[in-house]
Amino acid sequence: MPLTLAELGVVRALVLERSAIVLDDDKAYLVESRLLPLARREGLESVSSLVARLAGGANGPLARQVVEAMTTNETSFFRDGRPFETLRRTVLPDLVARRGPERALRIWCAACSSGQEPYSIAMLLREHACVPPDWDVRLLASDLSTAMLERTRQGRYNQIEVNRGLPAAFLIKYFERRGLDWQIRDDLRSALELRELNLIGDWPALPALDVVFLRNVLIYFDVPTKKRILARVRQALRPDGYLFLGGAETTLNLDDGYERAPVDGVSCYRLRAR
């Protein structure tokens, strides 16, 4: 039996409060498909029963699991291709030239989902030697979902996932077979520093950042939330750093502290000179 508007409203309110993600009235089918596996794991006969438990004041693990189930975790290795090529060919060489005296770089993948994006960057750094091997490079990966962070920590992917965007040579070089799955080598997994971070919540102290990947995240938020997140990223980004957004995202009319900096045909953003 489909969710009623009242039941959908319970889920919408919880997801909005905890993640700032806006679920429209036409998302009832999406809510049911995402929450049915959770309902079954909880021993409940339907999503309506799960929502009733939420409406009855269930917080803690169940509420968290509902929010995590409703977040979109679509990702792939080297997603969209060109931003990673731009990072390798132009952005990292520029930063290496600027950071010579420090010999250090800080890169943040916000909303890293199951880890394909930060691992793509880690492989890029190893494969192409665009940063000298003796430099201090910190690659931060964060997400609000503890389940996604655990998947990233494990670095284990099925055949379909490694077939999406990952060059065959990288699969052979950086992965090991584990039954039917493939696991990132231990030395590459250790290159990531994982943090639980909700973009609309309190942020832990972040280092001064040279590159921020915040791709395909802002599209899920309303305008005030986008503005708040961009302002906080701007405070953490170094004056000559780079912000990568998704192809359908922009800082235009949201934060005039950024300016678009087309690099190799890819739109990245940098802090506007004051």
Side-chain angles (χ1 to χ4, degrees):
M1 190 172 181
L3 287 177
T4 65
L5 284 179
E7 291 170 332
L8 178 61
V10 172
V11 178
R12 288 176 60 183
L14 174 66
V15 172
L16 182 63
E17 177 190 356
R18 300 287 184 92
S19 71
I21 294 173
V22 178
L23 296 174
D24 297 327
D25 288 341
D26 61 357
K27 292 295 191 297
Y29 174 77
L30 176 66
V31 170
E32 290 182 50
S33 64
R34 294 277 183 88
L35 295 187
L36 183 57
L38 175 58
R40 288 173 173 166
R41 289 199 302 272
E42 292 292 314
L44 301 171
E45 61 183 14
S46 67
V47 175
S48 291
S49 299
L50 179 69
V51 174
R53 183 174 292 182
L54 284 176
N59 285 305
L62 182 61
R64 183 188 187 102
Q65 289 176 72
V66 168
V67 173
E68 292 188 2
M70 291 311 306
T71 57
T72 299
N73 295 303
E74 172 63 23
T75 187
S76 62
F77 289 102
F78 297 98
R79 185 178 181 181
D80 302 328
R82 293 180 67 187
F84 296 93
E85 190 65 13
T86 296
L87 182 68
R88 178 185 72 84
R89 293 178 53 187
T90 305
V91 169
L92 288 175
D94 175 59
L95 289 171
V96 166
R98 295 170 182 269
R99 304 289 185 266
E102 304 169 34
R103 304 184 70 78
L105 286 175
R106 302 291 181 259
I107 301 170
W108 178 30
C109 291
C112 70
S113 185
S114 47
Q116 285 93 320
E117 181 178 83
Y119 281 129
S120 295
I121 295 175
M123 286 184 279
L124 181 151
L125 290 168
R126 296 284 181 92
E127 186 71 16
H128 299 288
C130 34
V131 178
D134 60 338
W135 277 41
D136 175 21
V137 179
R138 289 177 61 188
L139 180 51
L140 310 178
S142 69
D143 203 274
L144 68 80
S145 169
T146 55
M148 287 297 104
L149 287 174
E150 182 56 31
R151 281 212 64 201
T152 302
R153 183 175 290 107
Q154 292 177 1
R156 190 161 179 161
Y157 303 97
N158 62 37
Q159 191 66 51
I160 294 175
E161 289 170 320
V162 298
N163 284 345
R164 296 185 63 199
L166 183 68
F170 285 16
L171 178 62
I172 294 169
K173 188 171 183 179
Y174 296 109
F175 289 74
E176 297 173 347
R177 192 79 187 194
R178 292 288 186 270
L180 297 177
D181 297 332
W182 294 88
Q183 187 166 42
I184 295 270
R185 277 183 1 202
D186 289 349
D187 63 311
L188 208 62
R189 285 194 293 137
S190 65
L192 267 56
E193 180 179 327
L194 303 182
R195 296 190 185 184
E196 181 181 347
L197 192 153
N198 187 334
L199 290 170
I200 68 160
D202 294 330
W203 289 19
L206 294 172
L209 298 163
D210 300 292
V211 179
V212 175
F213 268 54
L214 186 68
R215 302 179 62 230
N216 307 302
V217 179
L218 295 180
I219 53 175
Y220 298 105
F221 299 128
D222 60 21
V223 168
T225 304
K226 291 178 184 180
K227 289 181 176 181
R228 288 196 300 272
I229 292 172
L230 285 171
R232 296 176 82 175
V233 170
R234 176 163 41 81
Q235 292 170 0
L237 191 64
R238 295 186 67 169
D240 56 354
Y242 292 82
L243 169 64
F244 284 83
L245 299 178
E249 297 169 325
T250 181
T251 64
L252 187 64
N253 297 324
L254 295 172
D255 193 319
D256 63 5
Y258 295 92
E259 59 184 358
R260 183 172 171 269
V263 181
D264 301 337
V266 172
S267 290
C268 6
Y269 297 85
R270 307 189 76 180
L271 300 187
R272 191 181 301 276
R274 295 296 187 179

